Amino acid sequence: MLPQFQKLLHYCDANGYVIIGDAVRIMQIDISITDRYDEAYYEIQIPIQEP
């Protein structure tokens, strides 16, 4: 499991958020700047219900 994902899960748990669906990891790469995958970044989305 990604360390960043574990941090997000811990944050949700520590702040009373309830995870209500599956997490999604989206790879973002700006092909107008680079086509190298090692220069990409990831967006992690977790559907939650506020406390």
Side-chain angles (χ1 to χ4, degrees), residues 2 8 23-28 40-46:
L2 295 172
L8 288 171
V24 177
R25 184 175 73 164
I26 302 170
M27 181 177 177
Q28 303 282 345
Y41 65 93
Y42 292 91
E43 173 183 338
I44 300 173
Q45 297 179 359
I46 303 173

Side-chain angles (χ1 to χ4, degrees), residues 1-39:
M1 186 180 304
L2 295 172
Q4 298 85 351
F5 186 66
Q6 289 177 333
K7 287 180 183 179
L8 288 171
L9 292 178
H10 176 71
Y11 179 86
C12 288
D13 187 49
N15 290 284
Y17 291 100
V18 178
I19 298 173
I20 58 172
D22 294 332
V24 177
R25 184 175 73 164
I26 302 170
M27 181 177 177
Q28 303 282 345
I29 187 166
D30 186 348
I31 60 170
S32 66
I33 298 173
T34 184
D35 61 353
R36 295 178 51 190
Y37 286 104
D38 61 336
E39 294 180 355

